[in-house]
């Protein structure tokens, strides 16, 4: 293929434009849907907004959503900050152990952990509650159906991601700043509060906002715990208005209900970007970074072990054991001699009959999402870092905007689009619709990852190929892509991990022929088939564990 | 004197202007330049950073889009703003050595050299590739590291790989963008000679960018001194050294004392009035100089000698303010009736500060240069 410089730019812009069109279509559909009665396209009405304003659950749901956001972020920092600190700035001897535990925990999808906690701590039949009752006669000690547990479980699950996000900032912290303080006669304690903390504050703030947004938009935990516990948040209201059990699906009203969430996330993204710029400004100051001074933990290492043990038990060991136990028992019951005699693999046989289609669909979903996401994002990144015209920067910015649209609302918009366009493009209920929605959602992350890598690589590498007679396409394929390969591999691994365990988007969009493992688990759990849900959970955990450990090897030089 | 002798120059640039940002809105990085480089010539662009020399080079390569003018390489019209013709870099008969070397980090030494031959559009016959790679690696003494990853090489070795990659294409025009500036000083000095020798042995026409005046003087057949997007002077190293046509060039090349002066007498002998007194200059760089015209009197530090003959021309009496010993020579800050004068003398003239000496400013090395703003002799 011979393409001139212009032809090649046009080709990539066409590819990037399809992504931008999808993002725009998604945003437009969300807004149009919110003004549409029921799920009818184009009949403008304010009825949805009027209905929303008169809804009894609205304000409690908004309040609960904020509580979930703030509560999750607070619990999250209680684990993530010490872990990050220990990993980056202390002489803690077993950093590898901590990193491995954090990585392994990525193999547990949040909805699986939430399910495990329901099985353990629901007030009536929870395994742990039953144990306490039979041992001490205390009944209903724990009630998992509460905002506190929702926040806590979300925090447990988000901890590794938060640690991996904060680590670079902590690690690159220029320790000559501390040295400068100490040779100027400032005590280490004062230096920590007056120099280290203020310098790292924007980075920590940005990460906090990021996880606040994530905490209010993920459906995994509120879907499993909030809905049966009658705790409304915005995402559960959106879900319920589209779910047939509660009446005919009304995507128009769902979009309207999502507007407060969209506003919340949009504000969050703006604050996030603002903080990120501040954090960048600080990090620009350090020219030559020296290896950080590692603090002697001394006796504190016992406290660190205690924290790791607590988190590891609650986030990994306990949920995993619960899932295994539940998969082997016919109904929820605490471990006992009687229970041991009932252990069987019968639920595995039951699950085996259901597994094939969801398993294949999950693999297709992962592959499809990666292909769309990577083809789109390498095009956008090349244009944004190499051509850098206004058009290309706009493409990049619009793609990044998609970050502000929560997954559930993206799904509502795409479902509305697919319904409206059903006669022309039969995407409704297909895996394609899920793949495209997932790919759009992943773009903000993949383009950021590729952009930062592409920016670090001087464009003279490609110019050297041009001036020695190598064409554009060939230079792109043989120089640009291989050189940013580590970033591409990282993006692929993270996208794989995220799309394999994604619940929200497939749950909103799937039909019986496009069900994946996560939606199957969710349905089994919702219909009380806990043992089979547990078997499927073990399957997805096994798949994710392989991926997580692969990513551990990939990120090892970083982490 | 050293104007191109061939009828057809290999590189011909006419009215070339390059601006960053939108054309006409921002200041031009390169301002309407004309340049001819003849076949086999080593032409150096010299100037301070930001003068537009790299921009000009990149425009010739096709990496930077000009907004007006034309570029012709080996008779091929590669850019012309009038006809709208713009040949992309991959189709121009050039190759380039980058300041950063721009070696492809995922390839070995031999792969770096072979990749453009194999995948490029310069029509290298397939069966010739291996032969050319071997030949060029041998020429640059890289044969024993042909399979090494380029990331494991030292700076000097990387530089040679970059040169090998560029030469293997047998370009009509070789472009070099500060190819030595990332090396340490001693290696730089050694490689200047080697690169010059290699390039002239192959006979490839070369456009070479540097900000280092010594490098420019040593390597150039001809050079252009650039400032603010314009050529200040074009000529051979000797012409520019001995006859700078402007204050800028005089200051940029060599360590020159430049004193404000006024022309006192023209004719066979040129006399000027300076703060040091009335002095005679051997070289006049001003077109039709007139008596009373203000100008600059220049003499290089290394040309000043210790005087002994009281009655001869250009003898001044000075006192030593400061002496700085630097091994082979001693740099002096002299004071002549309150005017500072720098000179560099052989170490055998070791005079302590405070002592008075007689200095001779040899007439044949004294110049009269126009102040910037006036036009100089071209």
């Amino acid at each position: 293929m011979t393409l001139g410089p212009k032809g090649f730019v046009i080709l990539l812009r066409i590819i990037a434009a399809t992504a931008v069109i999808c993002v725009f279509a998604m945003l437009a559909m969300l807004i149009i849907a919110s003004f549409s009665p029921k799920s009818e396209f184009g009949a403008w009405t304010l009825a949805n907004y009027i209905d929303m304003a008169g809804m009894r659950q609205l304000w409690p749901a908004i309040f609960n959503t904020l509580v979930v956001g703030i509560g999750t972020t607070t619990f999250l920092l209680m684990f993530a900050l010490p872990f990050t600190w220990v990993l980056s700035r202390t002489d803690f001897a077993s950093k590898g152990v901590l990193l491995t535990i954090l990585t392994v925990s990525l193999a547990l999808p949040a909805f699986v952990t939430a399910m495990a906690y329901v099985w353990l701590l629901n007030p009536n039949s929870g395994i742990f509650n039953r144990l306490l009752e039979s041992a001490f006669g205390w009944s209903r000690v724990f009630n998992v159906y509460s905002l506190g547990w929702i926040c806590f479980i979300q925090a447990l699950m988000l901890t590794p991601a938060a640690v991996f996000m904060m680590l670079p900032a902590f690690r690159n912290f220029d320790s000559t700043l501390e040295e400068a303080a100490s040779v100027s006669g400032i005590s280490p304690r004062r230096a920590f509060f007056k120099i280290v903390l203020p310098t790292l504050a924007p980075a920590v703030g940005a990460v906090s906002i990021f996880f606040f947004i994530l905490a209010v938009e993920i459906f995994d935990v509120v879907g499993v715990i909030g809905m049966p516990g009658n705790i409304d948040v915005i995402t559960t209201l959106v879900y319920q208005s589209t779910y047939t059990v509660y009446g005919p699906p009304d995507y128009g009203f769902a979009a309207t209900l999502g507007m407060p969430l969209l506003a919340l996330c949009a504000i969050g993204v703006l604050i996030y970007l603002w903080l990120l710029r501040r954090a960048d400004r600080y990090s620009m100051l350090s020219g030559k970074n020296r290896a950080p001074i590692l603090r002697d933990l001394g006796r504190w290492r016992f406290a660190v072990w205690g924290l790791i043990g607590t988190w590891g038990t609650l986030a990994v060991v306990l949920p995993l054991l619960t899932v295994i136990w539940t998969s082997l028992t016919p109904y929820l019951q605490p471990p006992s001699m009687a229970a041991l005699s009932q252990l069987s693999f019968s639920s595995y046989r039951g699950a085996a009959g259901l597994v094939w289609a969801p398993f294949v669909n999950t693999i297709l979903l992962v592959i499809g999402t990666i292909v769309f996401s990577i083809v789109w994002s390498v095009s956008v990144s090349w244009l944004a870092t190499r051509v850098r015209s206004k058009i290309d920067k706009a493409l990049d910015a619009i793609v990044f905007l998609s970050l502000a649209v929560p997954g559930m609302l993206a799904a509502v918009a795409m479902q509305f689009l697919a319904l409206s366009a059903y006669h022309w493009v039969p995407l409704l209920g297909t895996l394609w619709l899920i793949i495209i929605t997932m790919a759009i959602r992943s773009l903000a992350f993949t383009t950021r990852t590729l952009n930062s890598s592409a920016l670090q690589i001087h464009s003279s590498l490609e110019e050297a190929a041009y001036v020695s007679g190598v064409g554009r396409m060939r230079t792109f394929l043989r120089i640009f892509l291989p050189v940013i390969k580590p970033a591409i591999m990282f993006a692929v691994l993270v996208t794989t991990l995220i799309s394999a365990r994604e619940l929200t988007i497939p749950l909103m969009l799937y039909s019986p022929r496009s069900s994946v493992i996560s939606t199957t688990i969710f349905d089994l759990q919702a219909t009380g088939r806990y043992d089979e849900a547990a078997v499927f959970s073990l399957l997805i955990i096994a798949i994710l564990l392989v991926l997580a450990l692969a990513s551990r090897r990939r990120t090892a030089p970083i982490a | 004197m050293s104007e191109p002798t061939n009828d057809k120059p290999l590189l011909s640039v006419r009215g070339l202007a390059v601006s960053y940002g939108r054309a006409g809105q921002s200041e031009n990085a390169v301002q309407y330049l004309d340049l001819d480089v003849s076949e086999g010539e080593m032409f150096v662009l010299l100037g301070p950073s930001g003068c537009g020399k790299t921009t000009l080079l990149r425009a010739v390569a096709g990496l930077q889009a000009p907004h007006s003018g034309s570029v012709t390489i080996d008779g091929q019209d590669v850019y012309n703003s009038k006809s709208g013709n713009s040949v992309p870099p991959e189709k121009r008969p050039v190759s380039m050595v980058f300041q950063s070397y721009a070696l492809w980090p995922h390839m070995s030494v031999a792969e770096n050299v072979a990749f453009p031959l194999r995948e490029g559009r310069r029509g290298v016959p397939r069966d010739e590739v291996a032969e050319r790679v071997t030949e060029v690696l041998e020429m640059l003494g890289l044969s024993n590291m042909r399979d090494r990853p380029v990331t494991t090489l030292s700076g000097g070795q990387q530089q040679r790989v970059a040169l090998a990659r560029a030469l293997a294409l047998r370009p009509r025009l070789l472009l070099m963008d500060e190819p030595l500036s990332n090396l340490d000083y001693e290696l730089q000095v050694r490689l200047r000679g080697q690169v010059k020798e290699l390039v002239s042995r192959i006979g490839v026409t070369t456009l070479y960018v540097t900000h280092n005046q010594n490098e420019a003087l040593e390597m150039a057949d001809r050079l252009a001194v650039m400032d603010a997007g314009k050529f200040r002077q074009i000529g051979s190293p000797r012409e520019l050294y001995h006859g700078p046509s402007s204050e800028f060039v005089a200051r940029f090349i060599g360590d020159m004392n430049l004193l404000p002066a006024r022309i006192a007498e023209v004719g066979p002998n040129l006399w000027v009035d300076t703060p040091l007194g009335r002095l005679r200059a051997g070289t006049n760089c001003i077109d039709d100089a007139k008596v009373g015209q203000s100008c600059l009197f220049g003499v290089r530090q290394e040309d000043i000698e210790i005087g002994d003959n009281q009655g001869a021309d250009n003898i001044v009496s000075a006192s030593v303010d400061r002496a700085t010993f630097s091994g082979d020579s001693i740099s002096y800050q002299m004071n002549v009736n309150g005017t500072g004068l720098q000179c560099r003398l052989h170490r055998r003239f070791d005079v302590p500060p405070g002592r008075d000496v007689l200095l001779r400013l040899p007439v044949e090395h004294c110049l009269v240069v126009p102040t910037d703003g006036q036009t100089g002799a071209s």
Side-chain angles (χ1 to χ4, degrees):
Chain A
M1 185 147 51
T2 51
L3 272 176
K6 279 191 192 127
F8 185 68
V9 169
I10 289 169
L11 175 72
L12 287 198
R13 279 191 186 152
I14 289 171
I15 295 172
T18 58
V20 166
I21 289 167
C22 286
V23 172
F24 266 137
M26 185 180 82
L27 283 169
M29 277 303 142
L30 197 59
I31 291 162
I32 293 171
S34 75
F35 289 105
S36 302
K38 300 298 164 197
S39 299
E40 266 173 68
F41 180 86
W44 297 93
T45 170
L46 281 173
N48 290 333
Y49 285 92
I50 293 164
D51 286 353
M52 178 172 79
M55 210 174 152
R56 193 176 36 80
Q57 304 107 299
L58 179 70
W59 289 106
I62 291 176
F63 176 78
N64 286 346
T65 302
L66 288 172
V67 170
V68 166
I70 294 166
T72 303
T73 313
T74 311
F75 282 132
L76 175 66
L77 289 178
M78 281 165 43
F79 289 114
L81 273 180
F83 287 166
T84 313
W85 183 259
V86 163
L87 284 172
S88 60
R89 314 281 301 165
T90 70
D91 65 346
F92 185 61
S94 309
K95 289 178 186 172
V97 173
L98 176 52
L99 279 172
T100 305
I101 298 174
L102 287 171
T103 312
V104 164
S105 82
L106 291 174
L108 277 93
F111 63 90
V112 168
T113 306
M115 259 166 30
Y117 272 91
V118 169
W119 297 336
L120 273 177
L121 302 180
N122 84 63
N124 298 322
S125 58
I127 294 170
F128 206 63
N129 280 327
R130 297 266 298 275
L131 266 180
L132 289 176
E133 191 169 3
S134 60
F136 305 106
W138 305 337
S139 63
R140 305 170 70 101
V141 176
F142 293 102
N143 182 3
V144 76
Y145 299 122
S146 69
L147 278 173
W149 279 105
I150 290 175
C151 294
F152 189 69
I153 294 167
Q154 293 209 132
L156 287 177
M157 301 324 296
L158 294 174
T159 298
V163 171
F164 292 136
M165 241 175 117
M166 285 191 290
L167 258 184
F170 275 59
R171 225 173 239 152
N172 294 339
F173 179 79
D174 185 1
S175 54
T176 54
L177 295 185
E178 277 171 294
E179 289 171 345
S182 74
V183 296
S184 318
I186 293 162
S187 75
R189 208 186 152 76
R190 267 191 93 71
F192 178 78
F193 285 106
K194 294 280 170 185
I195 289 158
V196 179
L197 270 191
T199 318
L200 289 174
V204 173
V207 169
S208 305
I209 291 285
F210 184 86
F211 283 94
F212 174 88
I213 298 171
L214 219 53
V216 298
E217 69 152 303
I218 52 173
F219 182 67
D220 293 45
V221 180
V222 292
V224 173
I225 296 176
M227 287 203 303
N230 290 320
I231 301 166
D232 293 324
V233 292
I234 299 175
T235 46
T236 58
L237 293 187
V238 172
Y239 177 75
Q240 282 160 3
S241 65
T242 66
Y243 195 55
T244 42
V245 168
Y246 303 89
D250 185 345
Y251 291 101
F253 190 53
T256 314
L257 282 172
M259 287 300 157
L261 186 61
L262 184 66
L264 193 62
C265 291
I267 294 168
V269 166
L270 288 178
I271 300 173
Y272 173 66
L273 290 176
W274 179 72
L275 284 169
L276 220 54
R277 255 205 303 281
R278 284 186 70 105
D280 279 354
R281 202 166 63 214
Y282 282 152
S283 69
M284 292 293 266
L285 284 177
S286 53
K288 228 176 205 168
N289 283 338
R290 299 224 4 240
I293 309 169
L294 300 181
R295 294 242 170 274
D296 183 5
L297 267 179
R299 281 160 184 274
W300 281 96
R301 70 178 181 280
F302 298 113
V304 170
W305 273 119
L307 194 67
I308 294 173
T310 307
W311 181 82
T313 306
L314 294 175
V316 184
V317 179
L318 209 52
L320 196 58
L321 289 179
T322 307
V323 171
I324 293 172
W325 175 255
T326 307
S327 76
L328 295 171
T329 49
Y331 55 91
L332 279 189
Q333 54 187 315
S336 65
M337 289 313 287
L340 282 174
S341 66
Q342 290 179 358
L343 291 188
S344 81
F345 284 99
S346 64
S347 56
Y348 286 74
R349 275 191 295 277
L354 304 171
V355 75
W356 188 242
F359 181 73
V360 171
N361 281 341
T362 301
I363 290 174
L364 291 176
L365 169 67
V366 168
I367 294 172
T369 305
I370 288 170
V371 169
F372 273 93
S373 176
I374 296 299
V375 168
W376 272 337
S377 55
V378 293
S379 306
V380 170
S381 284
W382 188 84
L383 291 168
T385 62
R386 295 302 187 259
V387 183
R388 307 176 66 166
S389 74
K390 278 195 182 130
I391 299 171
D392 306 299
K393 285 180 177 164
L395 291 174
D396 187 43
I398 293 164
V399 161
F400 186 69
L401 261 185
S402 63
L403 185 69
V405 183
M408 175 160 282
L409 301 186
V412 167
M414 295 304 276
Q415 183 78 343
F416 188 76
L417 176 65
L419 269 172
S420 310
Y422 185 70
H423 292 293
W424 301 283
V425 197
L427 279 177
L428 196 68
T430 63
L431 205 54
W432 286 108
L433 187 63
I434 304 178
I435 288 172
I436 291 170
T437 312
M438 294 279 297
I440 296 171
R441 283 282 301 154
S442 72
L443 275 181
F445 166 75
T446 48
T447 52
R448 268 344 76 178
T449 305
L450 299 190
N451 280 2
S452 63
S453 170
L455 276 177
Q456 278 170 15
I457 285 144
H458 201 269
S459 51
S460 65
L461 286 186
E462 287 147 79
E463 290 172 352
Y466 302 150
V467 292
S468 41
V470 183
R472 302 285 151 153
M473 180 62 91
R474 217 159 266 194
T475 304
F476 183 78
L477 296 176
R478 298 289 307 274
I479 306 288
F480 181 72
L481 293 184
V483 167
I484 64 163
K485 193 171 139 204
I488 294 177
M489 291 310 294
F490 182 69
V492 165
L493 270 165
V494 173
T495 309
T496 308
L497 213 55
I498 288 173
S499 53
R501 52 187 256 179
E502 171 76 16
L503 171 70
T504 316
I505 290 171
L507 188 64
M508 298 295 287
L509 299 178
Y510 87 103
S511 67
R513 66 201 154 109
S514 56
S515 65
V516 291
I517 298 178
S518 61
T519 57
T520 309
I521 296 173
F522 192 85
D523 283 348
L524 289 170
Q525 160 76 6
T527 51
R529 292 162 74 178
Y530 300 144
D531 50 347
E532 284 166 353
V535 176
F536 271 95
S537 299
L538 288 175
L539 173 65
I540 192 78
I541 289 169
I543 296 171
L544 289 168
L545 192 61
V546 175
L547 293 171
L549 291 175
S551 78
R552 167 93 171 84
R553 194 159 306 134
R554 279 285 159 190
T555 53
I558 309 168
Chain B
M1 185 157 65
S2 60
E3 283 300 300
T5 47
N6 291 16
D7 294 332
K8 260 213 168 137
L10 188 113
L11 168 68
S12 177
V13 172
R14 287 291 171 271
L16 194 75
V18 186
S19 71
Y20 291 106
R22 210 168 291 164
Q25 281 200 345
S26 55
E27 199 157 301
N28 290 339
V30 165
Q31 308 204 23
Y32 308 101
L33 297 180
D34 296 330
L35 174 67
D36 284 317
V37 178
S38 42
E39 174 101 50
E41 193 174 26
M42 167 74 112
F43 193 95
V44 175
L45 298 171
L46 171 68
S49 62
C51 71
K53 56 194 190 300
T54 294
T55 306
L56 174 57
L57 188 84
R58 289 170 60 83
V60 170
L63 294 170
Q64 184 88 50
H67 72 257
S68 74
S70 69
V71 179
T72 310
I73 301 172
D74 197 22
Q76 187 195 351
D77 192 10
V78 293
Y79 174 77
N80 193 323
S81 59
K82 285 219 180 69
S83 64
N85 177 31
S86 178
V87 175
E90 51 266 39
K91 291 184 182 161
R92 298 186 182 195
V94 301
S95 66
M96 181 160 167
V97 178
F98 289 77
Q99 183 174 12
S100 61
Y101 314 138
L103 298 181
W104 299 309
H106 56 300
M107 296 181 187
S108 70
V109 170
E111 283 164 351
N112 259 278
V113 177
F115 179 70
L117 302 176
R118 212 168 270 143
E119 311 268 337
R121 297 192 183 158
R122 300 278 167 77
V124 180
R126 238 142 234 272
D127 48 348
E128 216 182 276
V129 170
E131 197 180 315
R132 277 215 209 175
V133 172
T134 307
E135 179 194 293
V136 76
L137 289 182
E138 207 155 283
M139 189 160 67
L140 283 150
L142 292 164
S143 302
N144 57 342
M145 50 189 85
R146 57 178 299 149
D147 295 322
R148 291 252 306 267
V150 287
T151 44
T152 64
L153 303 182
S154 71
Q157 290 165 337
Q158 291 188 3
Q159 206 278 334
R160 277 187 284 156
V161 177
L163 190 55
R165 184 174 70 184
L167 291 176
L169 282 162
R170 298 187 186 155
R172 296 295 290 140
L173 177 64
L174 176 64
L175 305 170
M176 300 178 96
D177 183 12
E178 309 230 12
L180 302 179
S181 65
N182 277 349
L183 302 170
D184 58 57
Y185 180 74
E186 296 208 353
L187 195 56
Q188 248 184 57
V189 172
R190 191 144 48 86
L191 280 182
R192 278 177 206 163
Q194 288 180 12
V195 170
K196 164 99 179 164
E197 194 271 333
L198 183 67
V199 166
S200 58
R201 178 152 52 89
I202 295 169
V204 61
T205 313
T206 306
L207 190 59
Y208 188 107
V209 160
T210 180
H211 67 270
N212 182 314
Q213 48 144 322
N214 292 326
E215 192 175 318
L217 294 174
E218 275 179 47
M219 302 196 76
D221 293 326
R222 280 193 310 147
L223 71 157
V225 175
M226 282 186 78
D227 176 41
K230 291 184 179 134
F231 290 142
R232 299 306 294 257
Q233 194 172 1
I234 299 179
S236 72
R238 281 183 177 77
E239 283 170 341
L240 264 66
Y241 189 84
H242 293 301
S245 64
S246 66
E247 182 182 344
F248 181 84
V249 177
R251 285 193 194 281
F252 200 77
I253 294 186
D255 300 322
M256 180 94 81
N257 288 292
L258 282 171
L259 304 170
R262 196 168 286 280
I263 292 173
E265 191 183 326
V266 291
N269 290 330
L270 182 67
W271 289 91
V272 290
D273 287 323
T274 75
L276 312 183
R278 180 165 288 201
L279 297 171
R280 214 178 116 199
T283 309
N284 178 13
C285 303
I286 305 184
D287 283 336
D288 44 83
K290 291 182 189 66
V291 173
Q293 185 180 344
S294 64
C295 60
L296 291 169
F297 174 84
V299 61
R300 291 182 192 281
Q301 292 186 24
E302 60 272 26
D303 289 334
I304 296 175
E305 295 166 0
I306 292 287
D308 39 17
N309 189 344
Q310 186 83 58
D313 286 340
N314 289 8
I315 299 286
V316 295
S317 166
S319 66
V320 176
D321 270 358
R322 195 169 61 238
T324 309
F325 180 77
S326 59
D328 54 347
S329 63
I330 301 173
S331 293
Y332 289 99
Q333 171 71 41
M334 298 287 194
N335 184 333
V336 184
N337 305 328
T339 301
L341 193 67
Q342 263 106 40
C343 63
R344 195 156 57 234
L345 299 172
H346 192 271
R347 62 172 181 273
R348 69 175 174 269
F349 301 109
D350 196 348
V351 191
R355 186 78 61 81
D356 289 339
V357 288
L358 286 180
L359 295 177
R360 191 170 79 89
L361 316 180
V363 173
E364 64 275 24
H365 295 310
C366 291
L367 314 165
V368 171
V369 181
T371 55
D372 271 350
Q374 297 177 336
T375 46
S378 46

